[in-house]
């Protein structure tokens, strides 16, 4: 009988404690600033150097460029840029090697989709990914 009251005492004490869980969809999680989430891409900064695609260990980044439309300007402009988030491991190597910081990591981690085909993200989607951009991208 004494054990039951001991258990009830513990249970009643725990009811008065602050909850340690989050109301996740309604309340966002506080993530550290160096959390590696989905990338944000700035196409106007990209010089099509292919360093991000070359360093990627899973070969999930594909990009192509074309000659600058203005004949007086040198270099290339970005034509297509896609990331396959089905195999991307969010390792942050693509952002570390980018000389112009055209690709940066965000704290956004929500990539749930109903189809695997929707995990191929293109230039427009990555450019619009403005949610929770990290304050410090290069140390």
């Amino acid at each position: 009988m004494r054990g039951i009251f001991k258990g009830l005492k513990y249970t009643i004490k725990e009811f008065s404690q602050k909850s340690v869980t989050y109301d996740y969809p309604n309340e966002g999680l506080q993530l550290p600033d160096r959390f590696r989430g989905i990338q944000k891409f700035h196409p106007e900064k990209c010089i099509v150097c292919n360093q991000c695609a070359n360093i990627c260990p899973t070969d999930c980044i594909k990009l192509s460029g074309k000659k600058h439309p203005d004949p007086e300007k040198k270099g290339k402009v970005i034509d297509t840029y896609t990331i396959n988030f089905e195999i991307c491991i969010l390792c942050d190597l693509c952002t570390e090697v980018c000389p112009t910081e055209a690709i940066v990591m965000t704290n956004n981690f929500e990539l749930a989709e109903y189809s695997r085909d929707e995990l191929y993200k293109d230039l427009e989607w990555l450019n619009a990914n403005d949610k929770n951009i990290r304050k410090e991208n290069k140390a």
Side-chain angles (χ1 to χ4, degrees):
M1 193 67 143
R2 186 174 161 183
I4 292 174
F5 289 117
K6 201 174 184 181
L8 281 173
K9 178 183 167 190
Y10 181 77
T11 303
I12 291 170
K13 185 177 93 174
E14 288 300 314
F15 273 130
S16 65
Q17 298 289 330
K18 183 182 175 193
S19 178
V20 294
T21 59
Y22 293 98
D23 183 17
Y24 169 63
N26 302 324
E27 179 183 330
L29 299 174
Q30 294 298 323
L31 299 170
D33 193 40
R34 293 297 293 169
F35 177 80
R36 294 187 304 226
I38 306 167
Q39 293 92 339
K40 159 89 172 130
F41 184 68
H42 302 280
E44 65 277 355
K45 292 182 181 179
C46 185
I47 57 172
V48 194
C49 63
N50 273 341
Q51 289 186 22
C52 56
N54 291 336
I55 202 164
C56 183
T58 59
D59 199 28
C60 65
I61 299 175
K62 305 285 184 231
L63 77 142
S64 65
K66 56 185 176 187
K67 282 192 170 186
H68 204 284
D70 187 7
E72 294 179 9
K73 293 190 176 183
K74 295 181 181 179
K76 295 181 178 181
V77 292
I78 189 82
D79 189 27
T80 61
Y81 190 92
T82 58
I83 297 180
N84 180 2
F85 281 108
E86 186 178 1
I87 58 175
C88 180
I89 58 175
L90 302 172
C91 62
D92 198 22
L93 290 175
C94 55
T95 62
E96 293 293 326
V97 76
C98 185
T100 60
E101 294 186 21
I103 186 164
V104 295
M105 299 299 274
T106 67
N107 285 342
N108 186 10
F109 61 90
E110 298 167 343
L111 267 175
E113 299 288 351
Y114 287 106
S115 170
R116 288 184 177 183
D117 295 334
E118 294 174 10
L119 291 173
Y120 286 90
K121 304 298 182 184
D122 60 352
L123 180 72
E124 289 79 24
W125 188 91
L126 289 166
N127 188 23
N129 182 25
D130 288 334
K131 188 175 176 183
N132 299 325
I133 295 178
R134 287 193 331 201
K135 293 176 186 77
E136 179 183 335
N137 281 296
K138 291 204 176 188

